[in-house]
Amino acid sequence: MTYANRRTVLTGLAGAAISASVLNAFTVAPAYAADLYASNTDLYTKLAGKEGTDFTRRYKRHELFDNSDDQRSPINRTTVMALHGGGIEGGTSELCLATAGYHPATLALAPAGGPVYDYWMFEGVRTSNNGDLHVTSTNNDDRTALSMAAGSLNVLSLHGCTAAQAKVPADRPEAVVVGGLDTDFTTCLREEFRAAGFQTVDGSTVPALAGEDPNNICNKTLLGKGAQLEMTTELRQSMFDPGCFNQLERPTHTNGLFDAFVGAARKAIARLEAQTDQVIL
């Protein structure tokens, strides 16, 4: 099944009465214990012919053009990524698109007239076992993803984790771990998320989720540093209407918490870009 046909099928299913078993098949929590693939190249090789049925890749690069003699147009500043989208770490695809400025279902500009950012996503689209498609951030060698990161001043990489991994209280499992090597970016993110009412965790206090490895693709930018968000399952679930945390319904069932989270992330990006506008390379 091609990717376009898969989207048509999913759209049709979303508009019909769907059994709980079918919906549950499209709801996948990160249940992987270890990566089965050494890299994205390894995955693409071993799953040759499976793109569109097992996994997809989606990205957008915005056109930049400068034909002036006396002005310098800005280079691309920020790219948003979801390395484990679709059914691998549920909700990260939708959050990636919305943070980049696009409606997760229609790809319409949202908000209209607002800034847009480049984005790249790898998505698991199986009906089950999407967690098997997980490739760790330090081993992501997708050439398009690497080139987009390397051509950006900033990368914001979105991930999912469990509350136990984030080391947050059991009675307050909704949290986002803010990590990465760009301390200016992480400061902006933590401050904006807290101002919006979200529980944040400093990634440096959770080494496994810190995103501080230079080989993490979020840090492979022009500046050699970026930011990573690890959102607990409970936080991601809270951003969608009850019973709609599945691949079929997530894009059309976001709620106010989703909007607040995306708004905070976009404010943080705007703050960072204002600080880096004067960077001359």
Side-chain angles (χ1 to χ4, degrees), residues 140-208:
N140 187 312
D141 63 350
D142 183 281
R143 293 182 180 180
T144 300
L146 286 173
S147 68
M148 292 179 71
S152 303
L153 288 175
N154 319 303
V155 163
L156 179 61
S157 187
L158 309 179
H159 297 266
C161 67
T162 66
Q165 290 170 329
K167 301 185 185 302
V168 293
D171 59 344
R172 292 185 62 207
E174 302 87 357
V176 54
V177 181
V178 182
L181 288 177
D182 192 333
T183 55
D184 290 333
F185 203 174
T186 57
T187 296
C188 292
L189 288 162
R190 285 197 304 270
E191 290 178 355
E192 293 299 338
F193 285 134
R194 288 171 182 167
F198 293 96
Q199 179 183 189
T200 68
V201 177
D202 187 334
S204 64
T205 67
V206 189

Side-chain angles (χ1 to χ4, degrees), residues 72-93:
R72 180 181 65 87
S73 295
I75 62 173
N76 184 57
R77 292 174 292 175
T78 302
T79 295
V80 187
M81 293 186 164
L83 309 186
H84 311 129
I88 304 174
E89 293 170 354
T92 57
S93 289

Side-chain angles (χ1 to χ4, degrees), residues 10-260:
L10 294 187
T11 301
L13 286 173
I18 312 170
S19 69
S21 61
V22 172
L23 287 180
N24 288 336
F26 284 94
T27 306
V28 181
Y32 36 84
D35 290 333
L36 298 179
Y37 303 100
S39 65
N40 282 65
T41 296
D42 184 42
L43 183 149
Y44 302 152
T45 301
K46 292 177 178 175
L47 295 182
K50 297 292 187 179
E51 187 159 9
T53 56
D54 281 28
F55 67 92
T56 65
R57 288 173 281 182
R58 288 195 280 168
Y59 70 91
K60 184 174 180 67
R61 277 177 154 160
H62 297 87
E63 182 180 12
L64 296 175
F65 178 71
D66 184 354
N67 195 41
S68 64
D69 293 329
D70 59 350
Q71 296 182 15
R72 180 181 65 87
S73 295
I75 62 173
N76 184 57
R77 292 174 292 175
T78 302
T79 295
V80 187
M81 293 186 164
L83 309 186
H84 311 129
I88 304 174
E89 293 170 354
T92 57
S93 289
E94 292 77 18
L95 287 162
C96 176
L97 288 170
T99 302
Y102 295 93
H103 190 284
T106 67
L107 298 186
L109 297 181
V116 291
Y117 308 106
D118 288 1
Y119 63 82
W120 183 92
M121 301 186 296
F122 175 90
E123 300 172 287
V125 295
R126 295 170 170 172
T127 57
S128 61
N129 300 320
N130 281 291
D132 291 346
L133 301 171
H134 183 277
V135 176
T136 189
S137 303
T138 55
N139 291 332
N140 187 312
D141 63 350
D142 183 281
R143 293 182 180 180
T144 300
L146 286 173
S147 68
M148 292 179 71
S152 303
L153 288 175
N154 319 303
V155 163
L156 179 61
S157 187
L158 309 179
H159 297 266
C161 67
T162 66
Q165 290 170 329
K167 301 185 185 302
V168 293
D171 59 344
R172 292 185 62 207
E174 302 87 357
V176 54
V177 181
V178 182
L181 288 177
D182 192 333
T183 55
D184 290 333
F185 203 174
T186 57
T187 296
C188 292
L189 288 162
R190 285 197 304 270
E191 290 178 355
E192 293 299 338
F193 285 134
R194 288 171 182 167
F198 293 96
Q199 179 183 189
T200 68
V201 177
D202 187 334
S204 64
T205 67
V206 189
L209 304 180
E212 295 177 345
D213 191 322
N215 289 319
N216 186 318
I217 195 170
C218 80
N219 295 318
K220 292 186 175 183
T221 67
L222 283 166
L223 301 177
K225 56 186 179 180
Q228 173 178 288
L229 302 180
E230 292 274 4
M231 298 161 284
T232 64
T233 303
E234 291 81 1
L235 175 61
R236 286 176 283 122
Q237 288 176 333
S238 72
M239 298 184 199
F240 300 87
D241 295 337
C244 297
F245 191 65
N246 57 75
Q247 289 195 70
L248 301 180
E249 297 182 302
R250 279 195 303 263
T252 55
H253 288 81
T254 60
N255 60 26
L257 280 176
F258 181 96
D259 295 339

